[in-house]
Amino acid sequence: NKNMINTYLSILFLFYSLSFINCEVDPDAHRNFTEIITSKGYPCETHYVTTDDGYILTVYRIPYGINGPGNGKRSPVLLQHGLLDSSFTWILNMPNESLSYILADAGYDVWMGNNRGNKYSQNHITLDPNSKEFWEFSWDEMGKYDMPNMMQYITSYTNFPRLAAYIGHSEGTTQAFAAFTSNNTYADLTQGFVGLGPVITVNHCSGPLRLAADFDVADIWKIFGLKKFLPTIDQIEQTFLIDFCHDCPICCSDVIELICGPHKGAFNESRMDVMSGHEPSETSVQNIVHWQQMVHTGKFQMYDYGYFGNKKHYGHHSPPQYDINNYPTNLPTALYTGTADILADPTDASELISQLPVATTYSRPINNYAHLDYIWALDSKTQIYDQIIQFLQTWEANPHK
Protein backbone atom coordinates (compact mmCIF):
# COMPACT_ATOMS: atom_id res chain seq x y z
CA ASN A 1 0.00 0.00 0.00
CA LYS A 2 0.94 3.67 -0.21
CA ASN A 3 2.01 3.99 3.44
CA MET A 4 4.34 1.01 3.15
CA ILE A 5 5.93 2.41 -0.01
CA ASN A 6 6.47 5.75 1.70
CA THR A 7 8.08 3.99 4.64
CA TYR A 8 10.47 2.09 2.38
CA LEU A 9 11.38 5.29 0.52
CA SER A 10 12.03 7.07 3.80
CA ILE A 11 14.34 4.28 4.95
CA LEU A 12 16.24 4.36 1.66
CA PHE A 13 16.59 8.13 1.92
CA LEU A 14 17.89 7.77 5.47
CA PHE A 15 20.52 5.24 4.36
CA TYR A 16 21.51 7.48 1.45
CA SER A 17 21.85 10.47 3.76
CA LEU A 18 23.85 8.52 6.32
CA SER A 19 26.38 7.56 3.67
CA PHE A 20 27.50 11.20 3.53
CA ILE A 21 28.15 11.51 7.25
CA ASN A 22 31.89 11.78 7.75
CA CYS A 23 32.35 9.47 10.74
CA GLU A 24 35.47 7.45 11.28
CA VAL A 25 35.21 3.74 10.56
CA ASP A 26 36.97 1.39 13.00
CA PRO A 27 40.47 0.76 11.57
CA ASP A 28 40.02 -2.98 12.16
CA ALA A 29 37.48 -3.01 9.32
CA HIS A 30 40.31 -2.51 6.82
CA ARG A 31 43.11 -4.32 8.67
CA ASN A 32 44.06 -7.87 7.79
CA PHE A 33 43.92 -10.71 10.31
CA THR A 34 47.40 -10.34 11.75
CA GLU A 35 47.17 -6.55 11.86
CA ILE A 36 44.01 -6.73 13.98
CA ILE A 37 45.74 -8.97 16.53
CA THR A 38 49.05 -7.09 16.68
CA SER A 39 47.20 -3.75 16.98
CA LYS A 40 45.87 -5.05 20.30
CA GLY A 41 49.39 -5.78 21.56
CA TYR A 42 49.33 -9.55 20.95
CA PRO A 43 51.74 -11.57 18.80
CA CYS A 44 50.43 -13.39 15.74
CA GLU A 45 51.96 -16.08 13.53
CA THR A 46 50.77 -17.51 10.21
CA HIS A 47 51.15 -21.24 9.57
CA TYR A 48 50.23 -23.40 6.59
CA VAL A 49 48.94 -26.94 6.93
CA THR A 50 48.85 -29.21 3.88
CA THR A 51 46.14 -31.83 4.18
CA ASP A 52 46.52 -35.44 3.12
CA ASP A 53 44.53 -34.63 -0.03
CA GLY A 54 46.59 -31.56 -0.92
CA TYR A 55 44.64 -28.55 0.36
CA ILE A 56 46.75 -25.81 1.94
CA LEU A 57 45.05 -24.41 5.04
CA THR A 58 46.01 -21.18 6.78
CA VAL A 59 46.18 -21.47 10.56
CA TYR A 60 46.81 -18.42 12.73
CA ARG A 61 48.49 -18.54 16.10
CA ILE A 62 48.56 -16.33 19.19
CA PRO A 63 51.43 -18.01 21.05
CA TYR A 64 51.03 -16.04 24.27
CA GLY A 65 49.02 -13.28 25.88
CA ILE A 66 49.36 -9.57 26.44
CA ASN A 67 51.86 -10.00 29.29
CA GLY A 68 54.43 -11.82 27.18
CA PRO A 69 55.61 -15.43 26.88
CA GLY A 70 56.54 -15.86 30.53
CA ASN A 71 58.11 -19.06 31.78
CA GLY A 72 57.12 -22.61 30.95
CA LYS A 73 55.34 -24.22 28.01
CA ARG A 74 51.84 -23.27 26.99
CA SER A 75 49.37 -25.99 26.04
CA PRO A 76 47.92 -25.53 22.54
CA VAL A 77 44.21 -25.03 21.87
CA LEU A 78 42.59 -25.21 18.41
CA LEU A 79 39.58 -22.98 17.66
CA GLN A 80 37.55 -23.98 14.61
CA HIS A 81 34.96 -21.75 12.94
CA GLY A 82 31.53 -22.60 11.54
CA LEU A 83 29.78 -22.53 8.16
CA LEU A 84 30.45 -19.48 5.94
CA ASP A 85 32.92 -18.25 8.53
CA SER A 86 36.66 -18.06 9.16
CA SER A 87 39.18 -17.67 11.96
CA PHE A 88 38.20 -13.98 12.06
CA THR A 89 35.16 -14.94 14.12
CA TRP A 90 37.44 -15.49 17.15
CA ILE A 91 38.85 -11.92 17.04
CA LEU A 92 35.80 -9.83 16.11
CA ASN A 93 35.30 -8.46 19.60
CA MET A 94 37.82 -6.73 21.82
CA PRO A 95 40.44 -8.76 23.74
CA ASN A 96 38.41 -8.91 26.96
CA GLU A 97 35.44 -10.30 25.01
CA SER A 98 36.99 -12.69 22.42
CA LEU A 99 37.80 -16.30 23.30
CA SER A 100 41.13 -16.29 21.46
CA TYR A 101 42.63 -13.42 23.46
CA ILE A 102 41.07 -14.64 26.71
CA LEU A 103 42.66 -18.08 26.31
CA ALA A 104 46.03 -16.53 25.41
CA ASP A 105 45.90 -14.36 28.54
CA ALA A 106 44.95 -17.43 30.57
CA GLY A 107 48.22 -19.10 29.57
CA TYR A 108 47.30 -21.07 26.44
CA ASP A 109 48.91 -21.27 23.01
CA VAL A 110 45.96 -20.38 20.76
CA TRP A 111 45.60 -21.67 17.20
CA MET A 112 42.74 -20.69 14.88
CA GLY A 113 42.03 -22.94 11.91
CA ASN A 114 40.50 -22.24 8.51
CA ASN A 115 38.64 -24.94 6.60
CA ARG A 116 39.26 -25.53 2.91
CA GLY A 117 37.59 -23.04 0.61
CA ASN A 118 37.20 -20.13 2.98
CA LYS A 119 38.93 -16.80 2.32
CA TYR A 120 42.17 -17.91 3.99
CA SER A 121 42.37 -21.45 2.61
CA GLN A 122 42.01 -21.32 -1.18
CA ASN A 123 45.19 -23.07 -2.25
CA HIS A 124 46.16 -26.61 -3.23
CA ILE A 125 49.40 -28.34 -4.15
CA THR A 126 48.09 -29.28 -7.63
CA LEU A 127 44.51 -28.07 -8.14
CA ASP A 128 43.74 -24.60 -9.49
CA PRO A 129 41.33 -22.76 -7.11
CA ASN A 130 39.37 -21.72 -10.22
CA SER A 131 38.84 -25.33 -11.23
CA LYS A 132 35.73 -27.38 -10.63
CA GLU A 133 37.80 -30.07 -8.95
CA PHE A 134 39.10 -27.73 -6.23
CA TRP A 135 35.56 -27.09 -4.96
CA GLU A 136 34.41 -30.71 -4.88
CA PHE A 137 34.22 -31.01 -1.11
CA SER A 138 31.85 -30.66 1.83
CA TRP A 139 32.18 -30.93 5.60
CA ASP A 140 32.91 -34.63 5.05
CA GLU A 141 36.43 -33.69 3.94
CA MET A 142 36.73 -31.10 6.70
CA GLY A 143 36.21 -33.90 9.21
CA LYS A 144 38.28 -36.46 7.34
CA TYR A 145 41.27 -34.23 6.53
CA ASP A 146 41.17 -30.59 7.69
CA MET A 147 40.52 -31.06 11.40
CA PRO A 148 42.82 -34.05 12.10
CA ASN A 149 45.61 -32.69 9.90
CA MET A 150 45.54 -29.34 11.71
CA MET A 151 45.57 -31.10 15.08
CA GLN A 152 48.50 -33.28 13.99
CA TYR A 153 50.44 -30.26 12.73
CA ILE A 154 49.91 -28.31 15.95
CA THR A 155 50.89 -31.14 18.28
CA SER A 156 53.98 -31.84 16.18
CA TYR A 157 55.00 -28.18 15.95
CA THR A 158 54.55 -27.50 19.67
CA ASN A 159 55.91 -30.88 20.78
CA PHE A 160 52.78 -31.54 22.83
CA PRO A 161 51.24 -35.03 22.61
CA ARG A 162 47.75 -33.51 22.76
CA LEU A 163 45.87 -30.26 22.45
CA ALA A 164 44.48 -28.88 25.69
CA ALA A 165 41.20 -28.79 23.77
CA TYR A 166 39.58 -28.67 20.37
CA ILE A 167 36.91 -25.96 20.47
CA GLY A 168 34.47 -25.85 17.56
CA HIS A 169 31.54 -23.65 16.66
CA SER A 170 28.63 -24.79 14.47
CA GLU A 171 30.11 -26.65 11.46
CA GLY A 172 33.34 -26.81 13.47
CA THR A 173 31.45 -29.23 15.73
CA THR A 174 29.90 -31.12 12.80
CA GLN A 175 33.30 -31.98 11.35
CA ALA A 176 34.50 -32.92 14.84
CA PHE A 177 31.67 -35.39 15.40
CA ALA A 178 32.31 -36.80 11.93
CA ALA A 179 36.03 -37.18 12.69
CA PHE A 180 35.70 -38.62 16.19
CA THR A 181 33.01 -41.15 15.22
CA SER A 182 34.91 -42.26 12.11
CA ASN A 183 38.28 -42.62 13.81
CA ASN A 184 38.43 -42.90 17.59
CA THR A 185 42.21 -42.41 17.59
CA TYR A 186 41.66 -38.70 16.89
CA ALA A 187 40.52 -38.45 20.52
CA ASP A 188 44.18 -39.08 21.43
CA LEU A 189 45.08 -35.73 19.84
CA THR A 190 43.14 -33.65 22.39
CA GLN A 191 42.42 -33.63 26.11
CA GLY A 192 38.82 -32.67 25.42
CA PHE A 193 36.25 -31.27 23.02
CA VAL A 194 34.16 -28.12 23.50
CA GLY A 195 31.18 -27.64 21.18
CA LEU A 196 29.50 -24.25 20.79
CA GLY A 197 26.16 -24.58 19.03
CA PRO A 198 26.76 -28.29 18.24
CA VAL A 199 25.13 -29.70 15.10
CA ILE A 200 24.83 -33.18 13.60
CA THR A 201 21.21 -33.00 12.41
CA VAL A 202 19.02 -30.09 11.39
CA ASN A 203 15.55 -31.65 11.55
CA HIS A 204 14.12 -28.75 13.50
CA CYS A 205 16.15 -25.84 12.13
CA SER A 206 14.38 -22.77 10.80
CA GLY A 207 15.36 -19.57 9.05
CA PRO A 208 17.50 -19.23 5.91
CA LEU A 209 18.93 -22.77 5.97
CA ARG A 210 15.45 -24.27 5.97
CA LEU A 211 14.34 -21.80 3.29
CA ALA A 212 17.39 -22.56 1.12
CA ALA A 213 16.72 -26.27 1.44
CA ASP A 214 13.03 -25.88 0.60
CA PHE A 215 13.95 -24.07 -2.63
CA ASP A 216 17.12 -26.09 -3.28
CA VAL A 217 19.06 -22.85 -3.71
CA ALA A 218 22.49 -24.50 -3.91
CA ASP A 219 21.26 -26.93 -6.57
CA ILE A 220 20.27 -23.94 -8.68
CA TRP A 221 23.82 -22.60 -8.30
CA LYS A 222 25.13 -25.97 -9.53
CA ILE A 223 22.87 -25.87 -12.57
CA PHE A 224 24.48 -22.57 -13.58
CA GLY A 225 27.94 -24.07 -13.14
CA LEU A 226 28.81 -22.13 -9.98
CA LYS A 227 31.24 -23.95 -7.70
CA LYS A 228 31.99 -21.38 -4.99
CA PHE A 229 29.22 -20.27 -2.63
CA LEU A 230 29.39 -16.54 -1.80
CA PRO A 231 32.06 -15.46 -4.29
CA THR A 232 34.56 -12.90 -3.00
CA ILE A 233 33.24 -9.34 -3.27
CA ASP A 234 35.46 -6.59 -4.63
CA GLN A 235 36.98 -3.70 -2.67
CA ILE A 236 34.30 -1.20 -3.67
CA GLU A 237 31.48 -3.47 -2.52
CA GLN A 238 33.35 -4.25 0.71
CA THR A 239 33.84 -0.56 1.43
CA PHE A 240 30.13 0.09 0.86
CA LEU A 241 29.20 -2.66 3.34
CA ILE A 242 31.65 -1.34 5.92
CA ASP A 243 30.26 2.19 5.59
CA PHE A 244 26.69 0.94 5.69
CA CYS A 245 27.22 -1.11 8.86
CA HIS A 246 29.12 1.77 10.43
CA ASP A 247 26.32 4.24 9.71
CA CYS A 248 23.54 1.84 10.66
CA PRO A 249 24.96 -0.87 12.94
CA ILE A 250 21.52 -1.90 14.13
CA CYS A 251 20.59 -2.70 10.51
CA CYS A 252 23.46 -5.20 10.26
CA SER A 253 22.65 -6.57 13.69
CA ASP A 254 19.04 -7.10 12.58
CA VAL A 255 20.22 -9.03 9.50
CA ILE A 256 22.28 -11.30 11.77
CA GLU A 257 19.23 -11.85 13.96
CA LEU A 258 17.18 -12.75 10.88
CA ILE A 259 19.75 -15.39 9.88
CA CYS A 260 20.83 -16.77 13.26
CA GLY A 261 17.89 -16.11 15.55
CA PRO A 262 16.93 -13.37 18.01
CA HIS A 263 19.13 -12.20 20.85
CA LYS A 264 18.66 -9.52 23.47
CA GLY A 265 21.19 -6.79 22.85
CA ALA A 266 24.07 -9.24 23.03
CA PHE A 267 26.19 -7.92 20.15
CA ASN A 268 28.70 -5.10 20.31
CA GLU A 269 27.10 -2.97 17.62
CA SER A 270 30.12 -0.67 17.55
CA ARG A 271 32.00 -3.55 15.84
CA MET A 272 29.45 -4.12 13.09
CA ASP A 273 31.59 -2.22 10.56
CA VAL A 274 34.51 -4.50 11.47
CA MET A 275 32.30 -7.55 11.03
CA SER A 276 31.19 -6.41 7.58
CA GLY A 277 34.80 -5.95 6.52
CA HIS A 278 35.60 -9.62 7.15
CA GLU A 279 32.37 -11.63 7.14
CA PRO A 280 31.00 -13.86 5.73
CA SER A 281 33.50 -16.22 4.12
CA GLU A 282 33.22 -18.61 1.20
CA THR A 283 32.66 -22.33 0.97
CA SER A 284 31.81 -24.73 -1.85
CA VAL A 285 28.38 -25.06 -3.40
CA GLN A 286 28.75 -28.80 -2.72
CA ASN A 287 29.04 -28.06 0.99
CA ILE A 288 25.82 -26.04 0.95
CA VAL A 289 24.13 -28.85 -0.97
CA HIS A 290 25.27 -31.23 1.78
CA TRP A 291 23.57 -29.05 4.38
CA GLN A 292 20.44 -28.97 2.24
CA GLN A 293 20.51 -32.76 2.10
CA MET A 294 20.68 -32.87 5.90
CA VAL A 295 17.53 -30.75 6.09
CA HIS A 296 15.74 -33.07 3.64
CA THR A 297 16.86 -36.38 5.16
CA GLY A 298 17.18 -35.52 8.83
CA LYS A 299 20.26 -37.74 8.96
CA PHE A 300 23.89 -37.36 9.99
CA GLN A 301 25.29 -38.85 6.82
CA MET A 302 27.91 -38.33 4.14
CA TYR A 303 27.35 -36.34 0.98
CA ASP A 304 24.80 -37.91 -1.37
CA TYR A 305 26.28 -38.05 -4.89
CA GLY A 306 23.17 -39.71 -6.31
CA TYR A 307 22.47 -43.33 -7.13
CA PHE A 308 25.42 -43.91 -9.46
CA GLY A 309 27.75 -41.37 -7.86
CA ASN A 310 27.37 -43.06 -4.48
CA LYS A 311 28.28 -46.39 -6.04
CA LYS A 312 31.46 -44.82 -7.41
CA HIS A 313 32.44 -43.06 -4.17
CA TYR A 314 31.22 -45.47 -1.51
CA GLY A 315 30.77 -48.79 -3.25
CA HIS A 316 27.01 -48.82 -2.75
CA HIS A 317 24.07 -46.74 -3.86
CA SER A 318 23.29 -44.92 -0.60
CA PRO A 319 25.57 -42.52 1.33
CA PRO A 320 26.93 -43.99 4.58
CA GLN A 321 25.67 -42.59 7.87
CA TYR A 322 27.95 -41.47 10.67
CA ASP A 323 27.24 -43.59 13.74
CA ILE A 324 27.18 -41.32 16.80
CA ASN A 325 27.32 -44.47 18.93
CA ASN A 326 30.97 -44.73 17.85
CA TYR A 327 31.81 -41.46 19.62
CA PRO A 328 34.81 -42.06 21.91
CA THR A 329 33.62 -42.91 25.40
CA ASN A 330 36.84 -41.63 26.95
CA LEU A 331 36.80 -38.11 25.44
CA PRO A 332 35.71 -35.35 27.87
CA THR A 333 33.11 -33.23 26.10
CA ALA A 334 31.41 -29.93 26.98
CA LEU A 335 28.54 -28.70 24.83
CA TYR A 336 26.82 -25.31 24.99
CA THR A 337 23.43 -24.80 23.33
CA GLY A 338 21.12 -21.79 23.03
CA THR A 339 17.39 -21.57 23.62
CA ALA A 340 17.08 -19.04 20.75
CA ASP A 341 19.34 -20.93 18.33
CA ILE A 342 17.38 -21.57 15.12
CA LEU A 343 20.28 -23.35 13.35
CA ALA A 344 21.50 -25.67 16.10
CA ASP A 345 17.92 -26.02 17.29
CA PRO A 346 17.46 -26.97 20.98
CA THR A 347 15.48 -30.08 20.02
CA ASP A 348 18.17 -31.32 17.63
CA ALA A 349 20.84 -30.50 20.22
CA SER A 350 19.00 -32.43 22.93
CA GLU A 351 18.73 -35.46 20.66
CA LEU A 352 22.47 -35.31 20.01
CA ILE A 353 23.34 -34.98 23.70
CA SER A 354 21.11 -37.92 24.61
CA GLN A 355 23.24 -40.18 22.39
CA LEU A 356 26.61 -39.23 23.87
CA PRO A 357 28.39 -41.00 26.76
CA VAL A 358 26.81 -39.76 29.98
CA ALA A 359 29.95 -40.12 32.11
CA THR A 360 32.13 -37.84 29.95
CA THR A 361 29.61 -35.34 28.54
CA TYR A 362 28.64 -32.00 30.08
CA SER A 363 25.96 -29.85 28.47
CA ARG A 364 24.29 -26.57 29.32
CA PRO A 365 21.60 -24.55 27.52
CA ILE A 366 22.04 -20.77 27.66
CA ASN A 367 18.89 -18.71 27.81
CA ASN A 368 18.25 -16.41 24.83
CA TYR A 369 21.47 -17.40 23.04
CA ALA A 370 21.26 -17.57 19.25
CA HIS A 371 23.76 -19.20 16.90
CA LEU A 372 26.44 -16.51 16.90
CA ASP A 373 26.10 -15.50 20.54
CA TYR A 374 28.50 -18.23 21.70
CA ILE A 375 31.34 -16.37 19.97
CA TRP A 376 30.12 -12.79 19.51
CA ALA A 377 27.95 -12.00 22.54
CA LEU A 378 29.29 -9.44 24.98
CA ASP A 379 28.49 -11.66 27.97
CA SER A 380 29.97 -14.87 26.51
CA LYS A 381 33.00 -14.62 28.81
CA THR A 382 30.91 -14.92 31.95
CA GLN A 383 28.35 -17.23 30.34
CA ILE A 384 30.83 -19.68 28.75
CA TYR A 385 34.52 -18.82 28.52
CA ASP A 386 35.37 -18.73 32.23
CA GLN A 387 33.90 -22.21 32.58
CA ILE A 388 35.74 -23.45 29.48
CA ILE A 389 39.04 -22.47 31.10
CA GLN A 390 38.03 -24.42 34.20
CA PHE A 391 37.33 -27.46 32.01
CA LEU A 392 40.70 -27.15 30.28
CA GLN A 393 42.50 -27.02 33.60
CA THR A 394 40.61 -30.05 34.88
CA TRP A 395 41.17 -32.06 31.70
CA GLU A 396 44.89 -31.37 31.69
CA ALA A 397 45.19 -32.28 35.37
CA ASN A 398 43.31 -35.53 34.74
CA PRO A 399 44.20 -36.66 31.19
CA HIS A 400 41.98 -39.28 29.67
CA LYS A 401 43.39 -42.67 28.68
Side-chain angles (χ1 to χ4, degrees):
N1 58 39
K2 184 177 181 180
N3 289 336
M4 184 175 292
I5 293 173
N6 288 336
T7 300
Y8 287 150
L9 290 174
S10 298
I11 292 172
L12 289 173
F13 176 76
L14 174 63
F15 290 164
Y16 180 78
S17 300
L18 285 171
S19 67
F20 287 94
I21 298 177
N22 185 23
C23 297
E24 186 176 352
V25 170
D26 191 311
D28 285 350
H30 295 288
R31 287 174 173 146
N32 65 30
F33 191 92
T34 56
E35 289 170 344
I36 292 174
I37 293 175
T38 56
S39 72
K40 308 297 181 289
Y42 291 77
C44 183
E45 299 175 2
T46 305
H47 292 253
Y48 300 99
V49 177
T50 301
T51 65
D52 291 341
D53 62 341
Y55 284 81
I56 301 172
L57 313 178
T58 301
V59 183
Y60 292 105
R61 182 193 189 195
I62 304 177
Y64 51 85
I66 195 70
N67 294 321
N71 298 317
K73 299 185 69 176
R74 293 167 170 264
S75 301
V77 177
L78 174 58
L79 309 181
Q80 192 58 40
H81 63 80
L83 178 65
L84 298 176
D85 208 347
S86 72
S87 55
F88 169 78
T89 203
W90 306 108
I91 63 167
L92 167 64
N93 283 332
M94 300 306 289
N96 64 326
E97 301 159 344
S98 295
L99 181 57
S100 57
Y101 300 114
I102 290 170
L103 287 172
D105 287 337
Y108 291 95
D109 179 1
V110 181
W111 297 71
M112 293 161 281
N114 287 285
N115 283 322
R116 63 186 62 199
N118 86 356
K119 63 190 295 183
Y120 299 120
S121 295
Q122 294 188 13
N123 284 294
H124 192 280
I125 58 174
T126 59
L127 297 177
D128 183 341
N130 293 315
S131 69
K132 173 177 175 288
E133 291 76 17
F134 179 91
W135 296 96
E136 291 179 339
F137 63 81
S138 75
W139 56 258
D140 282 333
E141 286 73 25
M142 298 172 194
K144 184 177 181 180
Y145 300 112
D146 295 3
M147 173 190 153
N149 288 167
M150 285 188 284
M151 294 170 74
Q152 290 161 349
Y153 177 92
I154 295 167
T155 53
S156 174
Y157 187 90
T158 60
N159 201 29
F160 270 81
R162 289 175 176 171
L163 304 176
Y166 171 92
I167 301 176
H169 171 242
S170 186
E171 186 178 67
T173 72
T174 311
Q175 67 193 89
F177 282 113
F180 288 135
T181 56
S182 300
N183 189 337
N184 281 184
T185 64
Y186 292 151
D188 295 331
L189 294 172
T190 181
Q191 299 286 11
F193 166 41
V194 178
L196 308 174
V199 186
I200 65 167
T201 58
V202 284
N203 292 326
H204 300 90
C205 78
S206 56
L209 179 59
R210 171 70 63 180
L211 191 65
D214 288 344
F215 288 94
D216 292 321
V217 170
D219 289 308
I220 296 172
W221 284 51
K222 286 182 67 177
I223 290 172
F224 285 97
L226 299 171
K227 49 194 179 292
K228 183 185 351 180
F229 195 81
L230 291 185
T232 305
I233 63 176
D234 63 31
Q235 188 63 44
I236 295 175
E237 294 168 329
Q238 191 80 65
T239 300
F240 170 78
L241 287 174
I242 291 170
D243 290 342
F244 173 78
C245 287
H246 175 263
D247 293 336
C248 189
I250 194 171
C251 301
C252 291
S253 182
D254 286 347
V255 171
I256 293 171
E257 280 203 9
L258 177 66
I259 296 171
C260 298
H263 58 82
K264 296 190 175 180
F267 288 164
N268 183 355
E269 290 184 356
S270 69
R271 299 286 285 177
M272 286 297 100
D273 53 354
V274 180
M275 178 276 296
S276 64
H278 299 273
E279 298 277 2
S281 195
E282 305 94 327
T283 189
S284 67
V285 170
Q286 181 169 312
N287 192 34
I288 300 298
V289 171
H290 196 172
W291 281 101
Q292 288 183 180
Q293 292 173 356
M294 294 170 70
V295 175
H296 292 315
T297 66
K299 297 177 180 179
F300 183 37
Q301 68 181 23
M302 296 183 185
Y303 184 81
D304 189 345
Y305 291 92
Y307 187 81
F308 295 107
N310 290 335
K311 181 67 175 178
K312 177 181 177 181
H313 280 84
Y314 307 124
H316 39 84
H317 297 297
S318 299
Q321 293 189 42
Y322 293 98
D323 187 355
I324 198 64
N325 293 317
N326 288 335
Y327 188 80
T329 57
N330 63 330
L331 180 63
T333 302
L335 304 178
Y336 295 88
T337 61
T339 61
D341 195 333
I342 63 174
L343 296 177
D345 181 88
T347 302
D348 290 324
S350 295
E351 291 176 359
L352 161 62
I353 292 164
S354 70
Q355 300 176 73
L356 296 174
V358 174
T360 52
T361 302
Y362 168 88
S363 65
R364 178 162 64 89
I366 302 176
N367 194 39
N368 291 323
Y369 257 41
H371 200 59
L372 287 175
D373 289 328
Y374 313 100
I375 47 175
W376 289 4
L378 293 177
D379 63 351
S380 54
K381 180 181 185 297
T382 55
Q383 286 279 12
I384 304 175
Y385 302 163
D386 289 341
Q387 187 179 41
I388 286 178
I389 292 173
Q390 292 175 2
F391 277 126
L392 268 56
Q393 293 169 344
T394 300
W395 294 344
E396 283 200 278
N398 304 277
H400 68 80
K401 295 181 179 180

